[in-house]
Amino acid sequence: MPIPSWPGGVPDAPQRGSYRISKPFNAPDITEFEAGNSRDRPRGTVQYRTVEQTIRMSQAEYALFDTFVQDDLVTGTLRFSMNVWNGYQLEAKTVKLLGADKFTVTPRGRALLVSLKLEVQL
């Protein structure tokens, strides 16, 4: 079954200054030795990065986004593909909404600022 894609009528570019990498990689497995040194090994074969960003949406765009999360992502529990800012350009990635709330919405004039915490597959 193919994974859902970010809806075409909803912007995906983050607001300037809102993009933040809060966790660059999965935590490694650390093995401690009796001599005091340790060995770090990657955990799993797929690495993830946690990215936080805010996207400005109109009321109509937010309605599309909310329907996408409710229906296509089964209340935000499924992975999906979207363009994610990598520091210099948008790049297509497989992502998942993180946290119990999945996203937060802040009114800003006529627009809405939708803050997302994403688990981005590297």
Side-chain angles (χ1 to χ4, degrees):
M1 181 171 120
I3 63 172
S5 295
W6 185 261
V10 179
D12 52 12
Q15 290 284 243
R16 186 179 307 227
S18 73
Y19 175 81
R20 178 168 117 38
I21 298 174
S22 56
K23 184 178 159 192
F25 305 104
N26 296 357
D29 280 329
I30 301 172
T31 305
E32 305 251 347
F33 294 99
E34 290 179 14
N37 57 342
S38 64
R39 176 178 61 192
D40 292 2
R41 292 172 289 141
R43 180 175 290 166
T45 56
V46 178
Q47 291 290 309
Y48 294 95
R49 171 173 289 160
T50 301
V51 170
E52 298 174 34
Q53 63 183 19
T54 301
I55 300 173
R56 183 184 176 104
M57 297 181 194
S58 68
Q59 296 284 344
E61 292 165 341
Y62 174 72
L64 284 172
F65 168 75
D66 193 42
T67 301
F68 171 69
V69 172
Q70 290 287 333
D71 298 342
D72 296 351
L73 301 184
V74 190
T75 64
T77 58
L78 299 178
R79 295 191 181 284
F80 60 99
S81 63
M82 78 175 285
N83 291 324
V84 178
W85 185 254
N86 65 10
Y88 56 92
Q89 68 180 9
L90 289 171
E91 182 178 17
K93 293 287 189 179
T94 299
V95 301
K96 181 181 178 191
L97 294 170
L98 287 179
D101 297 338
K102 304 301 180 191
F103 61 89
T104 58
V105 180
T106 307
R108 181 67 47 94
R110 289 183 170 172
L112 298 171
L113 298 180
V114 180
S115 298
L116 310 169
K117 189 172 189 180
L118 302 170
E119 181 181 75
V120 181
Q121 184 175 331
L122 298 177

